[in-house]
Amino acid sequence: MEIDKDMATKGTILLVDDEPDFAKILSSLLSARGFCILRAFKGIDALEILRDNVVDILITDIKMPGMDGITLIEKCKETSPNVPSIVLTGCQEMEDVKRALRAGAFDYLQKPIDHDQLTIAIDRGMERRGLLMQLAEELETRDQYLQDLLYSNERLKEANERAGKASQAKSDFLANMSHEIRTPMNGILGMTALALKKQDELPEQIIKYLRTVDSSSKSLLKIINDMLDFSKIEANKIKLEKKEFCLSAELLTLRNMYEPICQGKGVEFVFIPPDEKIDRLLGDPLRIGQILNNLLNNAIKFTPSGKITFSVETGQDSDRKVQLIYSVQDTGIGLDNNIIETMFEEFTQADSAVTRKYGGTGLGLSISQKLAELMGGRITCTSNSKEGTTFKFFLCLEIAKARARGPVNKKNFNILVVDDEDLLRQMSKEMLQHFEGVNVVEAENGAEALRLMWDAVNSGSDMFDLVLMDWLMPEVDGSTTLKLMKNNSALKDIPVIIISGYASNYEIERSNVHLANTFLAKPVRWKELLDAINSILKTSFSPTGHNKRDDSPDDAQGKAMGREPCLKNLYGCRILLVDDNHTNVVVAREILKVQGAVIEEATDGQQALAAFEKKDFDLILMDIRMPKMDGVKATRAIRDAEESKRKSYSQKNTKFKRTPIIALTAYAIEGDREKFLAVGVDDYLAKPYEEEELISSIKRWYKPESGSAQENLSLATIIDKNSSFAAKNNPAGNSGSQDMSLLQKMLANLLQLLDNNDFEAKKSLLTIKKVIHHSIIPTDFILLERHLDNYNFSEAKNVLGLILQEAKNET
């Protein structure tokens, strides 16, 4: 093996030949042409040179002892695949040449060697070597790129997993924080509301403190809801509904809500409805309402005086769609142009001074704009500093398909609206005029209402089908009017809906409100009024179609003109209240106790299941997050137990009654409601809830059995119905008047105990209730017992005094 190296730069050639003279001559020739020559006489030596040196071309003889040229080429391809090989052979060895070419040789030369052909072959080999090296570099670069790409993909996958975990952690955090905040908020708002209901018994300063707590708590709750909405929009978790709704109903609800607020602030509220009447649309009324509430609240917040105008324009976008342009214009503080450019960004308000003065998170407009964009709409703003602001909300919605019309009523419904305020009468009238077949008559007080009803009786004209009556009115109030109606044989069957903005607990519970069919609180919402009227008149009013009578005899509301006694229509309702939070239990218990419901409590799912297996309940209020067994597992267990009961009842041909379950929970994240309904819950109420929401939800599911409704029976009627009273207390069989006299004595004794603030008064009342022993206890006795439960002897004396006066009048 010989290695000849000089300063040649053309490349390095490995020459392998077992003939030293031939190899020497060829080496000299190639060296003279600028190549570095490495020589080997055997194949094994050539492999060693290839291992230790960089070679550009391999020139080898085919026939050599030991390892021939073909085997050397094969070995070379394994260790140095980019080195071109040229074989040298005699004329008689063409078969070997073919084998060499198949083994990977690049070219061949026949001995004796032609120098020009050798030069050409070497040049082509060097070119091939360059191309192979370039390709190898490119392949190496591609391999490195692929490796980098795989590494990046792996890192991206890990980053996505981390982002997913972070997003899930964020969602879990929001859900947990929402639950943890809403739970005490329910206690704060609930207890404050309960305290405010006793404001007749509290000093004025304490009432102011409580109202401040209530207002601040609701502001905090709005901030919490804004943060949750913002997070859901960021995470693309907002789901829009597409359902049919009544445009005019939604607009009237907003007007009824904000007009009194503006009046209380001394700001004029102007409502301009759309010219074209397009009522039934398809969209998400909840989110549309959220946007409009935000715009109207902002207008009220930033308008210390002047006027707020809320208007709606409609334009036909196509045969199936309508364009709505909601406009909220105020004469408030106004905005500079540079502020308008950024006001839809998150956490942005007009300036720091405005933030300090008016408060807020700066999320409301951002959320509203994003919701508008999700619905395919947009919000614009024009304003001048100190001259007011105008927000416009553009939205395109589908027009709902026309409903099939029911049969035309044989006669119109005549409804009497009684209210001492002109504006509220007009608002109620506008609501009712959206119903086809309704004739509205107005009265400004109870005396005028009675006169109109008596005139209808005397003239023989159509009697009023329904009376909507305010409660607190001058001269003849709602209580007196209602009592006079019920004492008149011609008027007593007219259904009455009481509408009131304020009445103390004592006034409501002691008054004749139980004689009405139902009670609605001002401001009256369209849906509430519609449901109440439809329930009482047994019709289905629709602003776009005729009314459809429903005379189904099986309808529970159809009995006694749809009578649904106010406030006591939960009387006797057996409710299982399941919650591990003592404060929330107290709030719900106190709300339902006023309604006359019978409450049993459980602090976890296991206790709830045990109570359910022992007793029958009309309804279950179920918290979700609880120790030992949560609300979801408890609901599943109750439904499984009911399934076993149902099969058992069916074998005995006995009617099975499913127990409604209402989830009363602080979970309020998107999808929670659907998740809970899927496990067997019938309804869902998120904490903190309003008293009306809880009562309304229970009313939807509680169907009292016949005869269980609360009545305000006189003492004489109870004695007549109760044969055991005389047997127990008057064995001589004296007359009913003597029975009444005996009861009066027992009540007089109770009054004396109350005069002395004697704790034996409660025991005395229980004795009286025992001897009366009637399934329906008078309203006054329930109120009396409640005051004694609270050791409120003075209020109990007032109620008892009225009871004694009524008893005296009856003897």
Side-chain angles (χ1 to χ4, degrees):
M1 178 175 65
E2 296 180 5
I3 299 178
D4 295 336
K5 288 187 177 181
D6 55 20
M7 300 301 293
T9 58
K10 277 192 173 183
T12 301
I13 297 175
L14 173 58
L15 176 61
V16 186
D17 199 304
D18 59 337
E19 296 180 17
D21 293 339
F22 175 77
K24 187 175 181 179
I25 294 170
L26 193 58
S27 295
S28 299
L29 177 65
L30 295 174
S31 296
R33 296 189 178 184
F35 290 100
C36 174
I37 306 301
L38 306 178
R39 287 191 299 172
F41 300 106
K42 297 178 182 179
I44 191 70
D45 295 335
L47 289 175
E48 186 176 344
I49 293 173
L50 285 171
R51 185 175 62 249
D52 298 333
N53 297 271
V54 176
V55 175
D56 295 306
I57 296 178
L58 169 66
I59 301 176
T60 181
D61 190 15
I62 290 180
K63 295 291 186 181
M64 293 184 298
M67 180 184 295
D68 62 11
I70 296 173
T71 304
L72 175 61
I73 291 172
E74 291 174 344
K75 297 288 185 183
C76 179
K77 284 297 179 185
E78 293 175 3
T79 58
S80 306
N82 296 326
V83 176
S85 303
I86 300 173
V87 293
L88 304 177
T89 181
C91 293
Q92 74 281 9
E93 297 172 340
M94 289 308 297
E95 199 56 45
D96 292 332
V97 169
K98 292 179 182 178
R99 288 176 52 222
L101 293 175
R102 284 195 293 268
F106 165 68
D107 205 349
Y108 74 96
L109 295 172
Q110 290 180 335
K111 294 179 181 180
I113 301 299
D114 184 295
H115 293 175
D116 291 335
Q117 288 182 348
L118 177 62
T119 300
I120 293 172
I122 291 174
D123 289 342
R124 287 175 57 209
M126 291 297 295
E127 182 181 358
R128 180 182 177 85
R129 165 73 169 165
L131 291 174
L132 288 173
M133 291 296 294
Q134 183 180 349
L135 180 59
E137 289 177 2
E138 290 177 355
L139 288 174
E140 185 177 356
T141 302
R142 189 192 68 174
D143 288 343
Q144 185 60 46
Y145 172 76
L146 289 175
Q147 289 296 325
D148 292 343
L149 184 60
L150 288 172
Y151 179 80
S152 298
N153 286 341
E154 194 64 31
R155 299 288 79 76
L156 182 60
K157 183 180 178 182
E158 292 175 2
N160 284 336
E161 289 176 356
R162 287 195 300 270
K165 290 177 181 178
S167 177
Q168 184 60 45
K170 180 180 177 182
S171 298
D172 293 343
F173 172 77
L174 285 171
N176 186 61
M177 289 305 298
S178 172
H179 184 280
E180 294 302 320
I181 294 173
R182 285 173 182 276
T183 297
M185 285 293 293
N186 185 64
I188 295 169
L189 286 166
M191 288 297 190
T192 306
L194 290 173
L196 285 172
K197 289 180 71 175
K198 296 181 179 292
Q199 54 188 287
D200 293 344
E201 307 167 15
L202 299 173
E204 185 63 30
Q205 191 64 34
I206 298 299
I207 294 172
K208 288 181 181 179
Y209 293 159
L210 289 171
R211 286 176 178 163
T212 302
V213 171
D214 185 65
S215 174
S216 300
S217 299
K218 287 175 179 174
S219 298
L220 176 59
L221 187 61
K222 184 182 183 304
I223 292 172
I224 294 168
N225 290 333
D226 281 350
M227 293 298 292
L228 287 173
D229 270 343
F230 177 70
S231 300
K232 285 187 283 188
I233 291 172
E234 267 197 329
N236 294 319
K237 288 187 177 181
I238 286 285
K239 294 180 182 178
L240 297 176
E241 289 186 323
K242 186 177 181 181
K243 65 181 182 180
E244 185 176 334
F245 69 95
C246 177
L247 175 63
S248 57
E250 299 294 329
L251 295 177
L252 282 171
T253 296
L254 288 168
R255 174 187 171 178
N256 293 344
M257 184 184 301
Y258 287 101
E259 196 161 37
I261 296 174
C262 288
Q263 287 175 347
K265 193 178 179 181
V267 175
E268 183 184 358
F269 185 87
V270 178
F271 171 60
I272 304 174
D275 294 332
E276 187 177 356
K277 187 178 179 182
I278 301 176
D279 270 327
R280 311 305 299 183
L281 300 173
L282 294 176
D284 192 332
L286 179 66
R287 294 301 182 182
I288 295 172
Q290 183 178 351
I291 293 172
L292 295 176
N293 279 318
N294 208 310
L295 298 180
L296 287 165
N297 279 324
N298 273 351
I300 292 171
K301 182 194 292 187
F302 299 116
T303 306
S305 62
K307 180 172 68 174
I308 293 173
T309 303
F310 175 42
S311 63
V312 186
E313 299 177 29
T314 59
Q316 201 75 19
D317 187 75
S318 67
D319 291 340
R320 296 295 309 136
K321 290 189 175 182
V322 62
Q323 185 184 43
L324 300 175
I325 305 174
Y326 298 92
S327 176
V328 178
Q329 183 178 7
D330 65 62
T331 59
I333 61 174
L335 298 167
D336 293 327
N337 288 332
N338 61 323
I339 299 298
I340 295 175
E341 294 175 1
T342 61
M343 67 187 310
F344 291 106
E345 295 178 5
E346 299 87 354
F347 307 102
T348 301
Q349 278 198 338
D351 56 42
S352 58
V354 170
T355 303
R356 286 194 300 272
K357 181 176 181 180
Y358 295 98
T361 60
L363 285 174
L365 287 175
S366 172
I367 291 170
S368 296
Q369 183 72 287
K370 287 184 167 88
L371 287 174
E373 290 170 355
L374 286 172
M375 291 186 282
R378 60 191 173 92
I379 300 174
T380 63
C381 174
T382 55
S383 180
N384 290 313
S385 182
K386 299 181 181 179
E387 293 183 12
T389 305
T390 300
F391 283 95
K392 290 191 175 183
F393 171 28
F394 298 84
L395 186 62
C396 190
L397 295 175
E398 288 184 42
I399 301 172
K401 293 180 181 179
R403 294 178 174 180
R405 294 192 170 194
V408 180
N409 292 311
K410 295 180 180 178
K411 73 178 188 67
N412 289 342
F413 284 102
N414 297 315
I415 298 180
L416 177 61
V417 177
V418 189
D419 201 308
D420 60 308
E421 292 190 38
D422 294 341
L423 177 63
L424 295 177
R425 281 203 314 275
Q426 184 62 28
M427 287 166 57
S428 297
K429 185 175 181 179
E430 286 182 12
M431 274 190 178
L432 295 170
Q433 284 177 339
H434 282 273
F435 301 140
E436 292 190 20
V438 170
N439 177 40
V440 180
V441 179
E442 299 177 53
E444 62 182 20
N445 55 49
E448 185 180 357
L450 289 168
R451 181 182 58 77
L452 289 169
M453 286 184 275
W454 286 330
D455 287 348
V457 172
N458 295 330
S459 64
S461 58
D462 289 340
M463 180 51 68
F464 291 103
D465 297 283
L466 178 68
V467 177
L468 302 182
M469 184 158 56
D470 187 25
W471 194 239
L472 300 178
M473 296 183 292
E475 299 178 10
V476 182
D477 62 12
S479 175
T480 305
T481 306
L482 188 55
K483 189 169 185 178
L484 290 171
M485 287 177 62
K486 297 306 175 183
N487 288 336
N488 186 291
S489 59
L491 307 180
K492 67 179 183 180
D493 291 330
I494 300 176
V496 178
I497 297 177
I498 293 298
I499 301 176
S500 179
Y502 168 79
S504 67
N505 285 348
Y506 183 75
E507 287 172 329
I508 288 178
E509 292 169 344
R510 272 297 312 140
S511 62
N512 301 305
V513 73
H514 61 276
L515 299 175
N517 293 74
T518 193
F519 179 98
L520 297 177
K522 294 179 182 177
V524 179
R525 293 180 178 272
W526 169 278
K527 184 68 167 59
E528 291 177 314
L529 181 62
L530 178 63
D531 288 345
I533 293 175
N534 284 340
S535 173
I536 292 172
L537 295 184
K538 303 317 301 164
T539 188
S540 296
F541 282 113
S542 169
T544 57
H546 294 286
N547 309 322
K548 183 179 179 182
R549 287 278 190 172
D550 180 8
D551 300 320
S552 171
D554 296 327
D555 195 327
Q557 297 290 346
K559 298 175 182 179
M561 292 296 291
R563 183 180 178 88
E564 185 180 339
C566 168
L567 295 177
K568 295 298 182 292
N569 62 344
L570 295 183
Y571 179 77
C573 178
R574 297 158 298 179
I575 297 177
L576 176 59
L577 176 59
V578 191
D579 200 316
D580 63 314
N581 186 286
H582 176 69
T583 304
N584 289 333
V585 169
V586 173
V587 170
R589 184 179 63 209
E590 291 301 312
I591 291 173
L592 299 173
K593 188 177 176 183
V594 173
Q595 293 285 313
V598 179
I599 308 298
E600 181 160 333
E601 299 169 17
T603 58
D604 58 59
Q606 287 182 358
Q607 289 186 15
L609 183 59
F612 175 79
E613 290 173 344
K614 290 178 182 177
K615 298 180 182 179
D616 290 330
F617 295 96
D618 296 307
L619 186 134
I620 299 174
L621 297 177
M622 181 75 74
D623 187 26
I624 295 299
R625 181 189 283 186
M626 295 181 292
K628 296 182 181 178
M629 180 186 285
D630 63 25
V632 171
K633 292 178 181 177
T635 298
R636 288 195 181 112
I638 288 171
R639 293 305 180 213
D640 290 342
E642 279 186 332
E643 181 63 19
S644 300
K645 280 187 181 180
R646 187 187 64 77
K647 293 177 181 178
S648 169
Y649 278 40
S650 98
Q651 291 174 356
K652 299 175 183 177
N653 292 323
T654 306
K655 187 176 180 181
F656 171 75
K657 182 182 177 183
R658 185 178 187 270
T659 306
I661 299 178
I662 299 175
L664 212 60
T665 175
Y667 284 111
I669 301 295
E670 189 84 23
D672 282 342
R673 178 186 179 87
E674 292 73 18
K675 180 172 65 178
F676 300 144
L677 293 178
V679 301
V681 167
D682 297 284
D683 208 344
Y684 170 95
L685 201 59
K687 298 173 185 175
Y689 50 80
E690 298 285 346
E691 177 179 345
E692 294 77 12
E693 290 179 304
L694 176 60
I695 295 171
S696 176
S697 181
I698 293 174
K699 285 179 183 178
R700 278 197 298 270
W701 297 99
Y702 171 52
K703 303 299 180 185
E705 297 176 2
S706 178
S708 65
Q710 176 71 22
E711 297 179 16
N712 194 26
L713 302 179
S714 69
L715 296 177
T717 304
I718 291 175
I719 290 174
D720 288 342
K721 288 186 175 185
N722 182 23
S723 59
S724 64
F725 183 83
K728 287 183 179 180
N729 301 283
N730 197 10
N734 293 327
S735 65
S737 63
Q738 290 173 317
D739 292 337
M740 176 60 72
S741 176
L742 178 59
L743 182 55
Q744 283 178 323
K745 289 179 182 178
M746 297 175 73
L747 293 173
N749 179 61
L750 175 59
L751 183 60
Q752 187 175 357
L753 293 172
L754 292 175
D755 281 333
N756 298 325
N757 292 335
D758 195 327
F759 288 93
E760 290 294 316
K762 178 67 182 292
K763 186 176 178 181
S764 176
L765 178 61
L766 292 175
T767 302
I768 293 171
K769 285 177 63 178
K770 234 179 234 184
V771 298
I772 289 177
H773 192 62
H774 191 266
S775 59
I776 301 176
I777 303 300
T779 306
D780 294 331
F781 275 72
I782 294 173
L783 183 58
L784 176 58
E785 185 176 11
R786 188 176 309 128
H787 287 313
L788 287 177
D789 284 341
N790 296 324
Y791 301 106
N792 191 341
F793 293 107
S794 60
E795 291 292 346
K797 275 178 59 179
N798 292 335
V799 176
L800 182 55
L802 292 170
I803 293 174
L804 285 168
Q805 185 61 46
E806 289 176 3
K808 184 178 179 182
N809 293 337
E810 291 174 355
T811 53

